[in-house]
Amino acid sequence: MRVLSGIQPSGQLHLGNYFGSIVPNLALVGQAEQNFFFIADLHALTSMQEPAVLKQAREDIVLDYLACGFDPTKAIIFEQSQVPEHTQLLWILSCIAPMGLLERAVSYKDKVQQGIRASVGLFTYPVLMAADILLYRATHVPVGRDQKQHVEIARDLAGKFNAAFGEVFVIPEPVIQKDTAVVPGTDGRKMSKSYGNVIPLFGNENTLKKAIMGIVTDSKDAHAPKDPDTCVVYQIHKLFLSGAEAKALAQEYRSGLAYGEAKKRLLATVLEHLAPLRERRLGLKSSVAKEVLEAGRKKAQEVAHTTMAHVRESTGLS
Ligand code: TYM
């Protein structure tokens, strides 16, 4: 098993990233032969054009990863932009990627629908993502449901390439946890930086309080029975709980737990759960980020280089 996942450095990490991607990837460290965790900074360029902000976000996100518990001696942490094979493979895959397949990509269609003027980079975003995955022969890709179609496109392109040029690529599997496939944001839609509805992973107490107290609820009376299945406060809270604890809390909602009290309890749980991460994060210096990334880049580059040698050979470009 070779596990790979990536996150764009385009704002603060949030609970959606944490439960949808970081926790499932961390759970596989140790079981996997290799575990890659990379910063998708080339993807971020499709929506960010502020050099100083991007530079800072790239550094911050490595420290965030480390604070979440990634051990750089066990996982390979690196930046996409520092391994040139990603963009080399992007081109080769672009030459076999049908336009129609990319035109059907939901995230592209969504952005266009929101009125964002599409660049070529935004259109070929899933091809770069396929290159990220296929370069490392990843067998398992932990993602939230929003990225499922992109992993399917990677599978599709791997199959097309193998059929045309011989068995070079491994077909990757998306790993999507049922309970964390779509972590809701404070307004009930998918938690997302672009919706401004996030609960940040490393926010201070005040930021977390403001976000949690602002979660949208229905207008039921304080002590009326509540439906935990449709309540965003509960849906977020249960991510932190064991099965038995979640069941007990659901019962309290049904027995009339007031939303104000439910939010206070969620805040306490979040603060308690994230305290060790925040403490570790404060103790990390930016020099550590540089060292980890350089060591990661070297290891990633070796794997990427070997795959690209096969790709060149099989396509007649060696
Ligand atoms: P990004 O940066 O938007 O999100 C990073 C990861 O977090 C997951 N996620 C969520 N999961 C559940 N609920 C949510 N509300 C939620 N919000 C985000 C995402 O599904 C993702 O797993 N294109 C990718 C980055 C990428 C990548 C890759 C990922 C580039 N190449 C190769 C995996 C493999 C992205 O924009 O993720």
Side-chain angles (χ1 to χ4, degrees):
M1 178 168 42
R2 291 157 79 94
V3 182
L4 174 135
S5 52
I7 293 187
Q8 289 191 58
S10 50
Q12 285 183 310
L13 288 185
H14 55 73
L15 293 185
N17 301 137
Y18 184 63
F19 286 108
S21 168
I22 295 174
V23 171
N25 194 334
L26 277 174
L28 294 171
V29 174
Q31 290 177 49
E33 177 200 333
Q34 267 178 327
N35 191 288
F36 299 90
F37 215 110
F38 76 95
I39 297 155
D41 48 4
L42 292 174
H43 278 115
L45 215 51
T46 60
S47 60
M48 273 172 99
Q49 270 123 32
E50 290 163 282
V53 177
L54 180 57
K55 208 161 181 211
Q56 187 62 48
R58 287 164 62 213
E59 179 181 310
D60 285 348
I61 207 166
V62 188
L63 300 179
D64 292 349
Y65 277 174
L66 295 174
C68 287
F70 278 100
D71 175 349
T73 63
K74 293 190 182 137
I76 300 175
I77 303 175
F78 66 101
E79 289 168 314
Q80 185 188 33
S81 63
Q82 303 308 305
V83 181
E85 280 82 354
H86 288 252
T87 44
Q88 293 169 6
L89 184 56
L90 157 72
W91 177 256
I92 292 174
L93 294 176
S94 295
C95 296
I96 56 159
M99 290 285 286
L101 181 68
L102 303 184
E103 274 160 0
R104 286 193 295 278
V106 175
S107 71
Y108 167 73
K109 286 200 296 193
D110 270 3
K111 295 220 166 90
V112 172
Q113 224 164 36
Q114 284 169 36
I116 296 169
R117 277 176 65 191
S119 62
V120 174
L122 186 64
F123 185 65
T124 56
Y125 185 111
V127 188
L128 179 58
M129 187 156 157
D132 301 336
I133 297 169
L134 301 181
L135 262 185
Y136 300 95
R137 299 167 190 279
T139 55
H140 294 77
V141 184
V143 284
R145 189 174 295 146
D146 59 342
Q147 297 297 322
K148 182 168 180 254
Q149 192 192 26
H150 287 157
V151 182
E152 280 161 1
I153 292 175
R155 288 169 61 86
D156 213 330
L157 295 181
K160 280 195 165 48
F161 183 97
N162 288 352
F165 299 112
E167 293 292 311
V168 172
F169 293 126
V170 172
I171 312 288
E173 286 289 336
V175 178
I176 299 173
Q177 311 290 332
K178 190 170 124 281
D179 296 336
T180 55
V182 186
V183 174
T186 53
D187 60 0
R189 292 186 292 171
K190 181 192 86 161
M191 190 177 288
S192 166
K193 292 160 228 179
S194 52
Y195 294 155
N197 63 358
V198 306
I199 300 180
L201 199 54
F202 293 101
N204 61 30
E205 189 168 340
N206 261 342
T207 316
L208 291 171
K209 188 171 177 185
K210 209 169 147 212
I212 290 172
M213 292 303 169
I215 296 175
V216 173
T217 53
D218 60 30
S219 52
K220 286 208 176 85
D221 280 350
H223 297 294
K226 317 286 183 322
D227 179 2
D229 296 332
T230 58
C231 176
V232 178
V233 187
Y234 177 78
Q235 293 304 316
I236 296 175
H237 202 153
K238 78 169 188 202
L239 300 170
F240 293 91
L241 304 178
S242 67
E245 288 167 336
K247 236 177 167 175
L249 182 64
Q251 200 43 51
E252 288 195 62
Y253 274 71
R254 290 190 195 98
S255 309
L257 179 66
Y259 285 131
E261 173 60 21
K263 288 179 181 177
K264 275 192 205 147
R265 290 212 210 158
L266 170 60
L267 177 64
T269 301
V270 170
L271 288 173
E272 189 192 330
H273 187 96
L274 299 183
L277 276 68
R278 301 220 323 256
E279 214 164 285
R280 266 201 302 263
R281 179 69 175 81
L282 286 173
L284 288 167
K285 296 202 190 70
S286 57
S287 57
V288 175
K290 287 201 180 78
E291 282 165 29
V292 166
L293 286 174
E294 181 49 19
R297 184 193 65 77
K298 282 193 184 135
K299 290 186 199 155
Q301 177 93 69
E302 239 173 71
V303 183
H305 187 81
T306 307
T307 308
M308 272 312 285
H310 288 149
V311 170
R312 286 210 184 86
E313 188 120 344
S314 56
T315 48
L317 294 169
S318 62

